Amino acid sequence: MKNVLVVGGAGYIGSHMAKCLSANGYVPIVLDNLDHGSRQTTKFGPFFEGSMNDASLLQKIFSEYPVAAVMHFAAFCYVGESMKQPAKYYQNNVVNTLALLECMVEENISNFIFSSSCSIYGEPVETPITEDHPKKPINPYGRSKLMVEQILHDFRQAYGLESICLRYFNAAGADPDGELGEDHDPETHLIPLILKTALGQRPHIDIFGDDYPTPDGTCIRDYIHIEDLAQAHLLALERLLTGLSGGQYNLGNATGYSVKQVIEIARSATNEEIPARVVERRPGDPAVLISSSEKAMKDLGWKPKFTDLEAIMETAWTWHKNNPNGYAP
Ligand code: UDP
């Protein structure tokens, strides 16, 4: 059975995943409510428009397409928004995910791959962050991800639902073929906002605080290319399908770049000036997040291809240059 349900498969990460599944002999069945996803990206397999908490739609999909596993990308992902609207985050990221999991249990589907996040760790007490680092998220987004991880732990014990939680650091870049890219609405992520500034669509990039305890005062993040992320999901899927145990894995490059460094790299990739100005800190942002991904390399055999930000930026810039309006017609 090669069908995989990709919930949120019309979004940034989900669409790259659907393409990767299809390139590797699987059939991605995409379920997306298109609140944030783009219909244009759903060309790699059957598409269903709807919500993950719609049990009758899920039953219909599962009876039409018996699936080997479910991958879940349909979460809200804005740290800042989660601070202002926590109810929205707990409703979608936790309650709706619980509904999806309950439906899976009823339908005897026992393999689940979850988009978790480094935000479950909160302020690091040691760097690089390993999987057993204390989990003290400092924003509702991170708490919503941790809650699902805890639910998955209980579902494994009670119902035998096996799962792999992939804790992403900062997903970035675009499909090297140029077919897919990053287009959020509203856009809040650093790299696309910098590139929109390079395209002249924004007057400047705002740097959220330069008084963090880092060498240049701006926040440090670990950027991981979207294709490497998809590859890790594929390996996780194959691990579950061969009957090996699930678990939790960090996915990052073990290298940190400050906001100012990211802007500099974008300036050289684009040959544009990219005006920047420092503004207030964004609530909910830890100063430094850098991954240790050794466990994923060892257990999953994961080997990221895009290990420096220059290469990641290049793919992002190519897509933004060729699609200045994103997926908009
Ligand atoms: N950031 C920034 N200006 C922006 C957007 C983001 O300075 O317009 C910073 C943000 O505070 C964080 C880093 O860039 O330190 C990455 O933020 P992003 O929203 O891309 O990802 P997150 O780390 O929240 O997942």
Side-chain angles (χ1 to χ4, degrees):
M1 192 167 32
K2 290 289 212 173
N3 296 331
V4 176
L5 180 65
V6 186
V7 184
Y12 170 46
I13 303 177
S15 61
H16 285 80
M17 188 68 233
K19 179 169 177 173
C20 170
L21 284 167
S22 140
N24 284 278
Y26 293 90
V27 180
I29 321 294
V30 167
L31 170 66
D32 198 299
N33 62 11
L34 298 183
D35 268 7
H36 290 283
S38 305
R39 184 71 177 91
Q40 293 97 306
T41 67
T42 62
K43 51 184 157 187
F44 305 105
F47 170 65
F48 293 86
E49 184 172 346
S51 167
M52 63 179 148
N53 68 356
D54 182 343
S56 59
L57 176 59
L58 286 171
Q59 279 154 5
K60 174 175 142 57
I61 296 172
F62 292 143
S63 63
E64 220 171 305
Y65 298 98
V67 303
V70 174
M71 292 186 175
H72 175 20
F73 301 91
F76 294 142
C77 65
Y78 302 139
V79 167
E81 185 185 58
S82 83
M83 299 286 286
K84 293 185 185 128
Q85 300 181 53
K88 176 174 171 180
Y89 277 70
Y90 292 123
Q91 178 62 49
N92 185 62
N93 294 8
V94 182
V95 178
N96 292 353
T97 299
L98 183 61
L100 169 66
L101 293 171
E102 284 190 271
C103 190
M104 285 181 64
V105 170
E106 271 165 35
E107 300 287 323
N108 287 318
I109 298 161
S110 54
N111 294 312
F112 187 70
I113 296 177
F114 177 57
S115 299
S116 188
S117 163
C118 62
S119 63
I120 66 167
Y121 298 113
E123 271 310 336
V125 292
E126 56 190 26
T127 294
I129 297 173
T130 58
E131 287 78 0
D132 51 14
H133 183 284
K135 284 135 205 102
K136 294 189 177 153
I138 60 168
N139 52 60
Y141 168 68
R143 279 190 278 278
S144 74
K145 292 285 178 182
L146 184 56
M147 285 175 194
V148 173
E149 287 209 11
Q150 289 163 337
I151 290 170
L152 288 172
H153 172 269
D154 294 340
F155 270 49
R156 176 183 293 123
Q157 293 202 325
Y159 310 123
L161 184 99
E162 196 52 85
S163 55
I164 291 186
C165 299
L166 297 174
R167 298 173 179 162
Y168 313 160
F169 282 63
N170 286 61
D175 170 23
D177 299 341
E179 198 178 9
L180 302 169
E182 183 169 13
D183 180 20
H184 297 105
D185 183 20
E187 189 54 78
T188 68
H189 291 107
L190 181 63
I191 291 178
L193 287 176
I194 292 174
L195 296 179
K196 282 175 188 291
T197 312
L199 286 168
Q201 296 175 355
R202 302 171 62 92
H204 36 65
I205 179 74
D206 286 339
I207 297 172
F208 294 151
D210 67 351
D211 56 353
Y212 284 94
T214 61
D216 68 17
T218 66
C219 285
I220 293 179
R221 294 288 179 273
D222 180 347
Y223 294 87
I224 166 178
H225 192 267
I226 189 78
E227 196 176 69
D228 288 329
L229 209 53
Q231 200 58 37
H233 286 73
L234 188 68
L235 294 166
L237 172 70
E238 285 169 353
R239 180 177 172 89
L240 290 185
L241 296 185
T242 50
L244 291 169
S245 60
Q248 301 80 29
Y249 296 97
N250 286 347
L251 297 176
N253 270 313
T255 312
Y257 294 88
S258 72
V259 173
K260 284 187 178 166
Q261 286 176 313
V262 176
I263 296 170
E264 271 316 313
I265 289 169
R267 285 181 178 139
S268 21
T270 62
N271 275 321
E272 297 292 339
E273 187 196 343
I274 314 185
R277 62 172 193 183
V278 177
V279 299
E280 287 292 289
R281 286 182 177 199
R282 182 175 68 177
D285 270 340
V288 181
L289 290 171
I290 299 175
S291 168
S292 158
S293 304
E294 279 173 23
K295 189 178 170 201
M297 292 179 181
K298 186 168 153 281
D299 287 10
L300 303 178
W302 183 58
K303 208 167 174 302
K305 278 198 300 192
F306 294 82
T307 48
D308 57 71
L309 188 57
E310 284 79 359
I312 296 175
M313 187 69 75
E314 206 58 58
T315 62
W317 176 232
T318 302
W319 193 79
H320 279 272
K321 235 179 357 192
N322 294 335
N323 301 273
N325 301 315
Y327 290 113

